[in-house]
């Protein structure tokens, strides 16, 4: 059964728009769990523009499903993650000027530093995933670093407009899934997935986990978060290939 990780960062973004104490991303995690989320995902950014340290530590105390922390490889954040002990750390690239994470981590370029971080997390018993573009060299480098999983960036698919471009991106993802499995890694998917476009990615064989934020939180404004999560889970299950 495919797993849905719900990214709750946007709830904290609304809170920070007023520097207020609502809406609380910790409440959002509860609602997401009630809707059937298999995991709660958050990104503790170096600039703390949405999720802050208080949120991270309260989430650790209250979330009962898989807690997945997205993070850069900056030493200060790695230190916090080692104290926090989430179930999974997903290493992502981070630039201050970006609106959201753009593209994947360049594991090929930073292989030595990343390998050290992966080893540190393994010593703590934390599962480590790399958010990367679905290219053979990034997948190979992730395996070399010892990652347990790769999360393939689905932004290329989400942004593709023509049918031929969409098919090309789906092929890239399918090849990436197979390559990841050959290296004995789990393969996850994330970025830009919506209620309108998720069906074709969900239809690929081999994704174990989907991490989705923007579209679920957007729908939650109108239908509530539990209901929005329930609808996304139904879509994923309806379109997943039969075992
Ligand atoms: N996965 C990762 C690694 C991400 O950085 C993000 C964005 O924070 C997501 C998934 C969710 O992307 P979206 O908000 O577009 O669903």
């Amino acid at each position: 059964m495919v797993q849905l990780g719900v990214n709750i960062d946007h709830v904290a973004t609304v809170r920070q728009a007023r520097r207020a104490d609502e809406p609380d991303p910790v409440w959002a995690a509860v609602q997401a769990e009630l809707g059937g989320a298999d995991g709660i995902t958050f990104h503790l950014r170096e600039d703390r523009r949405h999720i802050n340290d208080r949120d991270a530590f309260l989430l650790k105390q209250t979330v009962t499903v898989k807690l997945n922390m997205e993070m850069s490889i900056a030493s200060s954040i790695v230190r916090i993650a080692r104290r926090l002990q989430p179930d999974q750390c997903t290493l992502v690239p981070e630039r201050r000027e970006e609106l959201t994470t753009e593209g994947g981590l360049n594991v090929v370029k930073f292989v030595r530093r990343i390998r050290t971080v992966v080893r540190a997390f393994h010593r703590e018993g934390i599962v480590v995933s790399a958010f990367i573009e679905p290219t053979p060299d990034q997948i190979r480098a992730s395996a070399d670093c010892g990652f347990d999983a790769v999360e393939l960036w689905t932004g290329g698919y989400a942004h593709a407009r023509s049918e031929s471009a969409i098919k090309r991106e789906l092929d890239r993802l399918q090849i990436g899934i197979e390559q990841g499995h050959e290296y004995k890694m789990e393969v996850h998917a994330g970025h830009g997935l919506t209620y309108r476009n998720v069906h074709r990615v969900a239809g690929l064989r081999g994704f174990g986990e989907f991490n989705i934020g923007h579209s679920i939180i957007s729908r939650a404004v109108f239908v509530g978060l539990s209901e929005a999560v329930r609808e996304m889970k139904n879509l994923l299950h309806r379109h997943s290939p039969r075992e």
Side-chain angles (χ1 to χ4, degrees):
M1 200 75 107
V2 292
Q3 306 280 295
L4 172 62
V6 177
N7 183 314
I8 55 169
D9 294 347
H10 276 8
V11 176
T13 300
V14 174
R15 177 188 64 191
Q16 295 315 109
R18 282 292 180 93
R19 306 270 187 276
D21 57 6
E22 64 178 5
D24 193 329
V26 181
W27 288 27
V30 174
Q31 289 290 315
E33 278 199 39
L34 288 172
D38 303 292
I40 300 296
T41 295
F42 68 94
H43 185 170
L44 185 70
R45 295 185 76 104
E46 286 168 65
D47 63 8
R48 307 296 198 275
R49 71 166 75 150
H50 38 55
I51 295 289
N52 59 33
D53 300 51
R54 168 264 186 203
D55 303 331
F57 282 90
L58 271 181
L59 287 168
K60 169 66 186 176
Q61 289 172 50
T62 52
V63 166
T64 67
V65 291
K66 177 174 175 176
L67 187 63
N68 175 31
M69 175 172 174
E70 288 178 10
M71 52 178 286
S72 74
I73 55 172
S75 324
S76 59
I77 299 289
V78 171
R79 260 197 308 279
I80 293 173
R82 291 179 70 180
R83 269 206 296 133
L84 183 70
Q85 300 262 319
D87 299 299
Q88 175 174 290
C89 288
T90 300
L91 306 188
V92 303
E94 196 173 299
R95 289 192 305 122
R96 276 176 198 246
E97 60 277 21
E98 69 193 356
L99 285 177
T100 180
T101 312
E102 290 164 359
L105 184 65
N106 193 339
V107 181
V108 174
K109 186 166 171 195
F110 300 110
V111 75
R112 286 180 58 183
R113 163 82 185 130
I114 290 175
R115 192 179 285 134
T116 311
V117 173
V118 172
R119 283 201 188 127
F121 284 135
H122 279 167
R123 277 197 294 277
E124 309 279 349
I126 299 171
V127 169
V128 205
S129 175
F131 181 53
I132 54 169
E133 293 208 18
T135 62
D137 55 341
Q138 295 294 347
I139 296 170
R140 196 176 313 112
S142 301
D144 284 349
C145 285
F147 279 99
D148 307 284
V150 282
E151 179 174 327
L152 301 183
W153 176 72
T154 47
Y157 161 76
H159 300 144
R161 287 294 158 259
S162 67
E163 184 55 26
S164 60
I166 291 171
K167 285 219 177 89
R168 203 167 42 242
E169 292 301 326
L170 289 169
D171 284 348
R172 243 160 51 100
L173 290 168
Q174 187 66 65
I175 291 166
I177 292 170
E178 283 155 24
Q179 193 190 351
H181 286 166
E182 276 164 27
Y183 287 119
K184 309 275 181 263
M185 295 185 290
E186 266 192 47
V187 186
H188 307 160
H191 197 84
L193 297 175
T194 71
Y195 294 84
R196 291 195 192 93
N197 70 18
V198 79
H199 59 287
R200 294 181 78 174
V201 176
L204 299 176
R205 190 172 292 281
F207 277 131
E209 177 179 306
F210 292 82
N211 283 299
I212 306 180
H214 181 86
S215 195
I216 292 178
I217 303 301
S218 303
R219 181 163 295 214
V221 172
F222 303 105
V223 304
L225 186 51
S226 296
E227 173 59 20
V229 171
R230 212 170 288 123
E231 289 176 23
M232 184 57 85
K233 270 203 84 164
N234 285 342
L235 271 180
L236 287 176
H237 290 164
R238 186 160 358 118
H239 294 285
S240 295
R242 298 277 156 247
E243 300 287 306

